[in-house]
Amino acid sequence: MRESYDSHGAELAAFTNRLADLARLAEGAMNRATTAVVAGDAELARTVVAEEGTIVALHHRLDEEAVEMLAELRPVAGDLRTIVAGLRMSADLARMGAMARHVAELVPRMAPRPALPPVVLPTVAAMGETAQRLMAKVRAAMARHDTEAAYELDRDDDEMDRLVSSLYRDLLCADHGLDVEAVLELTLLGRYYERFADHAVSLARRVLFQAGAAG
Amino acid sequence: MRESYDSHGAELAAFTNRLADLARLAEGAMNRATTAVVAGDAELARTVVAEEGTIVALHHRLDEEAVEMLAELRPVAGDLRTIVAGLRMSADLARMGAMARHVAELVPRMAPRPALPPVVLPTVAAMGETAQRLMAKVRAAMARHDTEAAYELDRDDDEMDRLVSSLYRDLLCADHGLDVEAVLELTLLGRYYERFADHAVSLARRVLFQAGAAG
């Protein structure tokens, strides 16, 4: 753990642990959302949608704690950076939970058709894997204040951008036989993964900010 | 102006004024982006894209100032709320600037076709008007700490949701003769306006938080 915790050890450690919990919840939600759309599992999709409430509640709790700590601990230097970055990370993670919900909602919206037509299935599965890899690196970077892992994330984000472009190219092929509604829904699906990755990059930047390595 | 400014008057007033500048920039960018797509004005679209840099730079400057004030002024109560809310509002406004850029980028991506096919033109124009109305209310709420205006925003956000659904319904009509690429681009366009409105609602919530009326 960080040196600067010495000053307000318990509160900051609890805050950081809860932020790690929120990251785990967001990662789990997106993994299950991907499984739900790839397998067309309506029951699993419902679970992801229902469990977003837990993510939102934890996000609000973290925000309240951050403001309380700013008021009561009057933190400076490293502690201040940890709290300010935590406020922003909490917002990113809540948005990532919302992206997971949006992905899961594809299953009922496409019903009674399967959520994913075969032509885009491999690409969406790869997008889910890339999202998982991004989150694993973000969580490692958060836990160890690992600036190397944070810098590495850009590569996985590039991979996500490539996959989303590939999904859009699949959709633009005239011979896929998809109806307009499917094109519309799958376009939004690509956007949700793209934004999930953007938030992961934003989280990595916060880790660098906490470490004093960047703004 | 607020009572609590008395304690650290100059810094906080300058910060609040710059936040208002950022809100004006984001509003102007979206208005011009809408004009550019509705009129198919490639030159205006280029301007919107180029000027996003100004928005990003001001957002970063506000973030730095907020962290400096937290460290140096050791604010409490109302001042602390103003700064924390300002940090979040700065992030929302930067994202709104990015949405304006995305809208403007539709013009070159659809070229040499007109940016908007006639079937969706009235809906997109109405989306632009709703975005403008939302931002006018947000800026009034920010300037006067007007909680009424902040609460009112939900109605305009509902209107935006209705318009986006209407755009999607237009796209789902089998007889519009649009190619798949147009459907894909116009789906994303709807999403950009939807997110712009979401950020406006988020800004209104920050105004309520500043006023101590809500989290």
Side-chain angles (χ1 to χ4, degrees):
Chain A
M1 288 284 127
R2 306 177 71 202
E3 249 183 5
S4 55
Y5 281 11
D6 296 347
S7 41
H8 312 295
E11 290 94 334
L12 268 174
F15 178 75
T16 304
N17 286 338
R18 258 191 285 281
L19 200 60
D21 289 343
L22 185 56
R24 240 189 321 271
L25 286 175
E27 178 178 349
M30 192 48 135
N31 289 347
R32 279 175 298 130
T34 301
T35 305
V37 290
V38 167
D41 185 335
E43 186 50 41
L44 184 60
R46 259 193 299 277
T47 317
V48 175
V49 173
E51 287 175 2
E52 199 206 353
T54 313
I55 291 178
V56 171
L58 187 51
H59 158 57
H60 286 156
R61 179 173 175 184
L62 278 161
D63 274 9
E64 279 165 29
E65 285 181 352
V67 175
E68 272 168 33
M69 284 193 294
L70 287 171
E72 287 162 22
L73 305 182
R74 309 284 193 96
V76 291
D79 289 352
L80 176 60
R81 283 175 175 274
T82 298
I83 298 170
V84 168
L87 260 174
R88 292 160 165 169
M89 292 164 98
S90 164
D92 277 317
L93 289 165
R95 294 306 303 153
M96 293 169 102
M99 293 306 111
R101 170 175 54 82
H102 286 321
V103 168
E105 283 171 345
L106 185 76
V107 181
R109 274 205 309 271
M110 294 287 272
R113 295 164 295 184
L116 295 180
V119 63
V120 303
L121 222 152
T123 310
V124 174
M127 283 158 57
E129 281 159 27
T130 305
Q132 182 160 24
R133 204 161 52 240
L134 275 162
M135 270 314 277
K137 280 187 191 162
V138 162
R139 294 206 296 114
M142 286 169 67
R144 302 190 307 260
H145 302 275
D146 181 342
T147 54
E148 274 311 303
Y151 282 121
E152 259 181 43
L153 242 78
D154 275 341
R155 232 178 6 226
D156 293 302
D157 181 46
D158 290 344
E159 173 65 12
M160 185 67 93
D161 288 343
R162 261 194 303 277
L163 288 166
V164 174
S165 299
S166 160
L167 174 71
Y168 290 168
R169 267 197 311 277
D170 290 344
L171 296 177
L172 293 177
C173 276
D175 58 356
H176 54 47
L178 296 176
D179 59 35
V180 176
E181 190 179 357
V183 170
L184 190 150
E185 295 292 353
L186 294 170
T187 300
L188 292 177
L189 184 74
R191 182 87 188 135
Y192 300 141
Y193 280 99
E194 194 179 11
R195 285 194 55 219
F196 187 90
D198 287 346
H199 285 293
V201 170
S202 166
L203 286 170
R205 262 191 229 118
R206 308 306 181 204
V207 171
L208 296 177
F209 170 83
Q210 281 186 317
Chain B
M1 287 281 126
R2 306 176 71 201
E3 249 183 5
S4 56
Y5 282 11
D6 296 347
S7 42
H8 313 294
E11 290 93 334
L12 267 175
F15 178 74
T16 303
N17 286 338
R18 257 192 287 280
L19 201 60
D21 290 342
L22 186 56
R24 241 189 320 273
L25 286 175
E27 178 177 349
M30 193 47 135
N31 290 347
R32 279 175 298 130
T34 301
T35 305
V37 290
V38 167
D41 185 335
E43 185 52 38
L44 185 59
R46 258 193 298 278
T47 317
V48 175
V49 173
E51 287 174 3
E52 199 206 352
T54 314
I55 291 178
V56 171
L58 186 51
H59 159 56
H60 285 157
R61 179 174 174 183
L62 278 161
D63 274 9
E64 279 165 30
E65 285 180 352
V67 175
E68 271 167 34
M69 284 193 294
L70 287 172
E72 287 163 22
L73 305 182
R74 310 283 193 99
V76 291
D79 289 352
L80 177 60
R81 282 175 175 276
T82 299
I83 298 170
V84 169
L87 260 174
R88 292 159 164 168
M89 292 163 98
S90 163
D92 277 316
L93 290 165
R95 293 307 302 155
M96 292 169 102
M99 292 306 110
R101 170 175 54 82
H102 285 322
V103 169
E105 282 170 346
L106 185 77
V107 181
R109 273 206 310 271
M110 295 288 272
R113 295 166 294 185
L116 295 182
V119 63
V120 303
L121 222 151
T123 310
V124 174
M127 282 157 58
E129 281 158 28
T130 306
Q132 183 160 22
R133 203 161 53 239
L134 276 163
M135 270 314 276
K137 281 187 192 162
V138 162
R139 294 207 295 113
M142 286 169 67
R144 303 191 306 260
H145 302 275
D146 182 342
T147 55
E148 274 310 303
Y151 282 121
E152 259 182 42
L153 241 78
D154 275 340
R155 230 176 9 225
D156 293 301
D157 182 45
D158 291 344
E159 172 65 14
M160 185 66 93
D161 287 343
R162 262 194 302 277
L163 288 166
V164 174
S165 297
S166 159
L167 173 71
Y168 290 168
R169 267 197 311 276
D170 290 344
L171 296 177
L172 293 177
C173 276
D175 58 355
H176 54 46
L178 297 175
D179 59 35
V180 177
E181 189 178 358
V183 171
L184 190 151
E185 294 292 354
L186 294 170
T187 301
L188 292 177
L189 184 74
R191 182 87 188 136
Y192 301 143
Y193 280 99
E194 195 179 9
R195 285 194 56 217
F196 188 90
D198 287 345
H199 284 293
V201 171
S202 167
L203 285 169
R205 262 191 229 118
R206 309 303 182 207
V207 172
L208 296 177
F209 170 82
Q210 281 185 318

